[in-house]
Amino acid sequence: MTRTHATTPTGSRTTTTTRAATRIATAAAATALLALTTTACSNSDVDKAKDKAASATAKAGEAVSSATEAAASKMAEVKDGVNAKSDVKVDGPAKADGNRTTAKITATNSTDKKADYAVSINFRDGDGNLLDTVVLNINNTDPDQSKSGTARSNRDLSGTPKAEIGKALRH
Protein backbone atom coordinates (compact mmCIF):
# COMPACT_ATOMS: atom_id res chain seq x y z
CA MET A 1 0.00 0.00 0.00
CA THR A 2 1.37 3.41 -0.88
CA ARG A 3 1.19 6.08 1.70
CA THR A 4 1.09 9.64 0.64
CA HIS A 5 1.49 12.53 2.95
CA ALA A 6 -0.46 15.72 3.03
CA THR A 7 -0.30 18.78 5.12
CA THR A 8 -3.36 19.80 7.08
CA PRO A 9 -4.39 23.46 7.46
CA THR A 10 -2.72 23.49 10.87
CA GLY A 11 0.56 22.39 9.30
CA SER A 12 0.62 18.84 10.69
CA ARG A 13 1.17 15.88 8.42
CA THR A 14 -1.28 13.00 8.01
CA THR A 15 -1.40 10.01 5.73
CA THR A 16 -4.19 9.15 3.31
CA THR A 17 -4.68 5.82 5.07
CA THR A 18 -5.35 7.71 8.31
CA ARG A 19 -7.75 10.04 6.52
CA ALA A 20 -9.49 7.08 4.91
CA ALA A 21 -9.78 5.40 8.28
CA THR A 22 -11.21 8.59 9.75
CA ARG A 23 -13.72 8.86 6.90
CA ILE A 24 -14.73 5.20 7.37
CA ALA A 25 -15.07 5.69 11.12
CA THR A 26 -17.14 8.86 10.59
CA ALA A 27 -19.37 7.08 8.07
CA ALA A 28 -19.76 4.12 10.43
CA ALA A 29 -20.68 6.45 13.31
CA ALA A 30 -23.22 8.28 11.13
CA THR A 31 -24.68 4.96 10.01
CA ALA A 32 -24.88 3.74 13.61
CA LEU A 33 -26.55 6.98 14.68
CA LEU A 34 -29.03 6.69 11.84
CA ALA A 35 -29.72 3.08 12.76
CA LEU A 36 -30.26 4.01 16.42
CA THR A 37 -32.56 6.87 15.45
CA THR A 38 -34.56 4.61 13.13
CA THR A 39 -34.69 1.87 15.75
CA ALA A 40 -35.80 4.30 18.43
CA CYS A 41 -38.54 5.59 16.19
CA SER A 42 -39.52 2.08 15.22
CA ASN A 43 -39.50 0.90 18.84
CA SER A 44 -41.81 3.78 19.74
CA ASP A 45 -44.10 2.85 16.87
CA VAL A 46 -43.91 -0.81 17.84
CA ASP A 47 -44.74 0.06 21.46
CA LYS A 48 -47.73 2.11 20.30
CA ALA A 49 -48.88 -0.74 18.06
CA LYS A 50 -48.44 -3.22 20.93
CA ASP A 51 -50.50 -0.95 23.20
CA LYS A 52 -53.26 -0.71 20.59
CA ALA A 53 -53.19 -4.47 20.04
CA ALA A 54 -53.32 -5.10 23.79
CA SER A 55 -56.24 -2.69 24.13
CA ALA A 56 -58.10 -4.34 21.23
CA THR A 57 -57.37 -7.78 22.67
CA ALA A 58 -58.66 -6.68 26.08
CA LYS A 59 -61.83 -5.26 24.52
CA ALA A 60 -62.36 -8.44 22.50
CA GLY A 61 -61.78 -10.49 25.64
CA GLU A 62 -64.34 -8.40 27.51
CA ALA A 63 -66.85 -8.84 24.67
CA VAL A 64 -66.32 -12.62 24.64
CA SER A 65 -66.61 -12.75 28.43
CA SER A 66 -69.79 -10.70 28.32
CA ALA A 67 -71.31 -12.87 25.57
CA THR A 68 -70.36 -16.04 27.44
CA GLU A 69 -71.95 -14.75 30.65
CA ALA A 70 -75.10 -13.71 28.78
CA ALA A 71 -75.35 -17.13 27.11
CA ALA A 72 -74.83 -18.93 30.43
CA SER A 73 -77.52 -16.75 32.01
CA LYS A 74 -79.99 -17.57 29.20
CA MET A 75 -79.23 -21.27 29.46
CA ALA A 76 -79.74 -21.10 33.25
CA GLU A 77 -83.26 -19.71 32.67
CA VAL A 78 -84.32 -22.99 31.05
CA LYS A 79 -86.43 -24.92 33.56
CA ASP A 80 -86.40 -28.71 33.58
CA GLY A 81 -83.95 -28.84 30.70
CA VAL A 82 -82.33 -32.15 29.82
CA ASN A 83 -78.90 -32.46 28.23
CA ALA A 84 -79.60 -32.91 24.53
CA LYS A 85 -76.23 -32.16 22.97
CA SER A 86 -76.42 -35.42 20.99
CA ASP A 87 -79.70 -34.19 19.39
CA VAL A 88 -78.10 -31.03 18.00
CA LYS A 89 -75.53 -30.44 15.27
CA VAL A 90 -73.95 -27.69 13.20
CA ASP A 91 -74.88 -28.06 9.52
CA GLY A 92 -71.89 -27.07 7.39
CA PRO A 93 -69.31 -24.38 7.95
CA ALA A 94 -70.00 -20.99 9.50
CA LYS A 95 -70.60 -18.27 6.91
CA ALA A 96 -70.22 -14.54 6.73
CA ASP A 97 -73.53 -12.67 6.63
CA GLY A 98 -72.83 -8.98 6.27
CA ASN A 99 -70.66 -8.04 9.22
CA ARG A 100 -71.66 -11.08 11.28
CA THR A 101 -71.02 -14.81 11.18
CA THR A 102 -73.87 -17.31 10.98
CA ALA A 103 -74.19 -21.05 11.38
CA LYS A 104 -77.10 -23.35 10.61
CA ILE A 105 -78.04 -25.48 13.62
CA THR A 106 -80.36 -28.49 13.47
CA ALA A 107 -82.09 -30.18 16.39
CA THR A 108 -83.56 -33.68 15.95
CA ASN A 109 -86.21 -34.51 18.54
CA SER A 110 -85.50 -38.05 19.73
CA THR A 111 -88.50 -38.16 22.08
CA ASP A 112 -92.17 -38.99 21.60
CA LYS A 113 -93.36 -35.46 22.54
CA LYS A 114 -92.91 -32.00 21.04
CA ALA A 115 -89.79 -30.36 22.37
CA ASP A 116 -88.07 -27.00 22.53
CA TYR A 117 -84.29 -26.64 22.42
CA ALA A 118 -82.01 -24.00 23.89
CA VAL A 119 -78.58 -24.28 22.28
CA SER A 120 -75.41 -22.34 23.04
CA ILE A 121 -73.12 -22.03 20.03
CA ASN A 122 -69.44 -21.12 20.33
CA PHE A 123 -67.64 -19.41 17.47
CA ARG A 124 -63.89 -20.18 17.52
CA ASP A 125 -60.95 -19.06 15.41
CA GLY A 126 -58.57 -21.43 13.62
CA ASP A 127 -56.44 -21.76 16.77
CA GLY A 128 -59.46 -22.75 18.89
CA ASN A 129 -59.76 -19.42 20.69
CA LEU A 130 -63.30 -18.50 21.69
CA LEU A 131 -64.51 -15.47 19.72
CA ASP A 132 -68.22 -15.33 20.60
CA THR A 133 -71.06 -17.33 22.16
CA VAL A 134 -74.73 -17.08 21.27
CA VAL A 135 -77.91 -18.87 22.30
CA LEU A 136 -80.39 -20.14 19.74
CA ASN A 137 -83.89 -21.39 20.55
CA ILE A 138 -85.44 -24.00 18.30
CA ASN A 139 -89.07 -24.41 19.36
CA ASN A 140 -91.94 -26.80 18.66
CA THR A 141 -89.91 -29.63 17.19
CA ASP A 142 -92.21 -32.58 16.54
CA PRO A 143 -91.29 -36.09 17.78
CA ASP A 144 -88.77 -37.87 15.55
CA GLN A 145 -88.46 -34.74 13.41
CA SER A 146 -85.72 -32.20 12.80
CA LYS A 147 -85.93 -28.44 12.83
CA SER A 148 -83.25 -25.88 12.02
CA GLY A 149 -82.39 -22.36 13.03
CA THR A 150 -79.60 -19.90 12.34
CA ALA A 151 -77.15 -18.79 15.01
CA ARG A 152 -75.79 -15.29 14.40
CA SER A 153 -72.72 -13.85 16.11
CA ASN A 154 -73.16 -10.89 18.44
CA ARG A 155 -70.36 -8.94 16.78
CA ASP A 156 -68.00 -8.85 13.82
CA LEU A 157 -65.69 -11.86 13.68
CA SER A 158 -62.58 -11.88 11.53
CA GLY A 159 -61.10 -14.80 9.67
CA THR A 160 -63.12 -17.95 9.13
CA PRO A 161 -64.62 -18.86 12.49
CA LYS A 162 -65.87 -22.36 13.21
CA ALA A 163 -69.19 -22.93 14.98
CA GLU A 164 -69.54 -25.64 17.60
CA ILE A 165 -72.27 -26.70 19.99
CA GLY A 166 -71.43 -25.62 23.52
CA LYS A 167 -74.47 -26.90 25.38
CA ALA A 168 -77.93 -28.02 24.33
CA LEU A 169 -80.98 -28.41 26.51
CA ARG A 170 -84.26 -30.02 25.50
CA HIS A 171 -87.28 -28.79 27.46
Side-chain angles (χ1 to χ4, degrees):
M1 171 187 322
T2 306
R3 291 187 182 182
T4 57
H5 297 279
T7 305
T8 64
T10 59
S12 62
R13 289 176 45 164
T14 185
T15 62
T16 25
T17 53
T18 306
R19 275 198 252 166
T22 303
R23 286 183 192 146
I24 291 170
T26 303
T31 302
L33 181 60
L34 179 61
L36 286 174
T37 304
T38 303
T39 302
C41 180
S42 295
N43 284 342
S44 174
D45 291 343
V46 168
D47 289 342
K48 287 178 186 176
K50 283 181 182 177
D51 289 345
K52 285 182 181 180
S55 176
T57 300
K59 287 179 184 176
E62 290 169 8
V64 169
S65 179
S66 177
T68 303
E69 289 173 15
S73 177
K74 285 187 180 200
M75 295 298 285
E77 291 175 5
V78 175
K79 301 297 181 208
D80 300 321
V82 176
N83 181 0
K85 193 169 180 178
S86 62
D87 289 356
V88 182
K89 66 178 182 173
V90 178
D91 290 329
K95 297 179 182 178
D97 182 19
N99 294 333
R100 306 301 172 145
T101 300
T102 62
K104 183 178 176 187
I105 308 299
T106 300
T108 302
N109 184 354
S110 60
T111 70
D112 59 356
K113 296 179 183 175
K114 267 193 181 191
D116 297 331
Y117 291 84
V119 185
S120 67
I121 296 93
N122 298 321
F123 290 98
R124 296 191 181 272
D125 66 13
D127 293 329
N129 298 311
L130 183 62
L131 301 174
D132 200 2
T133 300
V134 298
V135 173
L136 174 68
N137 291 305
I138 301 175
N139 297 320
N140 297 315
T141 307
D142 290 321
D144 295 319
Q145 297 296 310
S146 295
K147 196 169 186 181
S148 297
T150 301
R152 182 177 172 83
S153 68
N154 293 306
R155 58 192 184 86
D156 296 351
L157 304 180
S158 61
T160 53
K162 179 182 179 189
E164 67 180 21
I165 305 302
K167 186 174 185 180
L169 298 174
R170 182 178 55 243
H171 56 104

